[in-house]
Amino acid sequence: YFARIAPEKGLHHLVDAALLLHERRPGKFRVKVGGYLNPQHRRYFAEIQQTALPLGNAFEYIGSPATLEDKAAFYKSLDVLSVPTEFLEPKGLYVLEALANGVPVVQPEHGAFPELIKATGGGLLVEPKNADALADAIERLHDDPDLRLSHAQSGHTKVRELYNPERMAQA
């Protein structure tokens, strides 16, 4: 997860999915969270941390990386990125950033995500606000490293081809 820590960004859905995965396969999945925590959302994040207690050290919040290099290193430390937003995300910059760093994504099937996934082939779409579907998709990518690599490679290639500065300037 790499986005602003706020209810509409859906971190609670990812934690619920992680708890399901932890029940299915203890010790096999970790949740790494990066992003800005606004003071107004500290209570929300405290509730997330409380919910995540059964995950133990398999839940980690790194804060907001200080440099672009730190941000890229965070992305590259992931096997899969998911920011399961509740609202219809109009951009999804973190999806493009993950794909540019060779990380496949699992995102809700709404907002800009279907278009981004269709254009790049960089991941899977799931029913919004459905922790079971999110857990199933993450587990699928875990169990099929060839599929995960295929999405990573496709996303990496296509995001650089379709979303580069020259192409955007031409458009």
Side-chain angles (χ1 to χ4, degrees), residues 71-84:
K71 188 177 187 182
F74 176 78
Y75 278 121
K76 290 177 181 177
S77 75
L78 305 177
D79 293 317
V80 174
L81 174 85
S82 184
V83 180

Side-chain angles (χ1 to χ4, degrees), residues 1-168:
Y1 177 98
F2 188 81
R4 185 171 41 88
I5 309 297
E8 63 272 13
K9 292 291 190 177
L11 179 57
H12 52 286
H13 296 302
L14 183 58
V15 169
D16 289 345
L19 290 168
L20 292 170
L21 291 167
H22 182 69
E23 287 176 19
R24 295 177 193 173
R25 299 182 187 183
K28 294 289 183 183
F29 296 92
R30 296 181 43 79
V31 177
K32 291 180 75 173
V33 176
Y36 174 70
L37 177 57
N38 189 309
Q40 75 186 38
H41 293 118
R42 286 194 179 135
R43 183 175 181 165
Y44 166 74
F45 189 59
E47 292 170 5
I48 293 289
Q49 290 174 304
Q50 186 67 35
T51 301
L53 281 176
L55 299 174
N57 65 0
F59 179 86
E60 176 186 9
Y61 175 59
I62 61 115
S64 189
T67 67
L68 184 57
E69 291 79 19
D70 292 341
K71 188 177 187 182
F74 176 78
Y75 278 121
K76 290 177 181 177
S77 75
L78 305 177
D79 293 317
V80 174
L81 174 85
S82 184
V83 180
T85 64
E86 292 199 344
F87 72 105
L88 304 180
E89 175 71 64
K91 291 182 265 181
L93 182 59
Y94 40 82
V95 169
L96 297 175
E97 291 174 335
L99 297 176
N101 282 285
V103 179
V105 300
V106 175
Q107 289 299 112
E109 193 170 9
H110 64 199
F113 305 132
E115 179 182 344
L116 290 174
I117 298 304
K118 181 179 179 187
T120 63
L124 302 174
L125 296 168
V126 297
E127 179 184 345
K129 302 179 189 179
N130 184 330
D132 287 308
L134 183 57
D136 290 347
I138 292 169
E139 190 171 37
R140 180 176 171 208
L141 291 177
H142 172 272
D143 290 348
D144 191 342
D146 291 337
L147 178 63
R148 187 175 69 244
L149 181 60
S150 173
H151 284 303
Q153 289 174 333
S154 178
H156 184 262
T157 300
K158 288 291 189 179
V159 79
R160 291 170 185 281
E161 177 186 312
L162 299 173
Y163 301 97
N164 65 58
E166 294 81 19
R167 176 106 182 216
M168 293 187 326

